[in-house]
């Protein structure tokens, strides 16, 4: 990994994926799952769990960029806009720092919705294998 | 929510839960799933995805503390020690800050393994409903 290296990929936040994340996390908050409840919120319709984006980011880092054997040491995410259930999102990753002494890399990530609006951004420090 | 309010709960990181998180996140990194591969790493056996702890924390916050309607605005987690597949972990949450003008609350979380060792800690800013 070198500073400046980038990686882009896309994911669709299907209702099935949101239901599966609810099951694994135990997060059955109706704002994510119940259209009627979501209509009573400022969002007007169901939004994806913020940490579903985080989970997909873990998937990218643990299998493709950097790839297998990667271990997360530290992660942060700032949620700027909701991701609505059914939306397609884009992950843009960039290597920000590489430790000279150890295989430890800082990767910045921005997540955009299909209108090109930033939905979340953050940094993750990983140990590569 | 008031500053100093706390909430404690437990979860078991079963192999099934780790496989389900792999499915939803796409994170099939063998360090989490493949005993043979994990034996070749410094951990010696499969470790849970760091963000599985994050997902379970999302479940706690979205359904019980603060509860339904909660939306994550910002989250950070620092992973101190691995959580091994099969371990029981304890989440300790504490309200650190409450905005006087808006229903926005900062919650600190520490996650311990069954030996009482800190595995992860972080802060999440949420909007309560």
């Amino acid at each position: 990994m070198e500073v400046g290296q980038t990686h882009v990929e896309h994911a669709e936040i299907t209702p099935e994926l949101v239901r599966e994340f609810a099951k694994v996390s135990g997060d059955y908050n109706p704002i994510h799952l119940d259209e009627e409840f979501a209509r009573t919120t400022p969002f007007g319709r169901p939004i994806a769990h913020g940490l579903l984006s985080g989970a997909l980011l873990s998937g990218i880092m643990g299998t493709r960029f950097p790839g297998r054997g990667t271990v997360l040491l530290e992660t942060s995410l700032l949620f700027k806009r909701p991701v609505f259930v059914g939306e397609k999102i884009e992950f843009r990753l960039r290597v920000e720092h590489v430790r000279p002494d150890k295989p430890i890399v800082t990767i910045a990530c921005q997540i955009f919705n299909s209108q090109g609006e930033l939905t979340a951004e953050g940094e993750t420090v990983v140990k590569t294998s």
Side-chain angles (χ1 to χ4, degrees), chain A:
Chain A
M1 298 254 105
E2 281 174 28
V3 172
Q5 237 182 302
T6 59
H7 180 86
V8 176
E9 58 181 87
H10 299 84
E12 189 174 344
I13 306 301
T14 63
E16 295 69 36
L17 192 59
V18 172
R19 281 198 295 272
E20 279 177 17
F21 187 81
K23 191 182 162 211
V24 72
S25 65
D27 193 347
Y28 289 100
N29 184 340
I31 205 162
H32 307 303
L33 300 160
D34 181 338
E35 288 205 12
E36 217 162 299
F37 178 86
R39 262 198 296 277
T40 70
T41 71
F43 305 115
R45 56 198 167 112
I47 62 171
H49 306 77
L51 280 175
L52 173 52
S53 295
L56 296 172
L57 183 58
S58 157
I60 293 170
M61 294 189 296
T63 61
R64 292 179 295 279
F65 187 83
R68 56 186 265 144
T70 297
V71 176
L72 269 62
L73 300 180
E74 198 176 333
T75 190
S76 68
L77 272 174
L78 189 64
F79 301 102
K80 301 280 200 175
R81 271 187 191 80
V83 171
F84 293 101
V85 177
E87 273 197 299
K88 285 186 181 139
I89 58 174
E90 179 175 289
F91 293 85
R92 294 187 201 161
L93 283 71
R94 184 181 188 276
V95 177
E96 295 295 326
H97 186 254
V98 179
R99 279 216 5 204
D101 55 330
K102 286 182 181 179
I104 291 178
V105 175
T106 303
I107 297 173
C109 179
Q110 293 184 307
I111 306 171
F112 296 87
N113 65 18
S114 39
Q115 284 77 52
E117 296 165 328
L118 186 64
T119 68
E121 62 182 346
E123 269 196 358
T124 304
V125 181
V126 298
K127 189 170 170 299
T128 61
S129 76

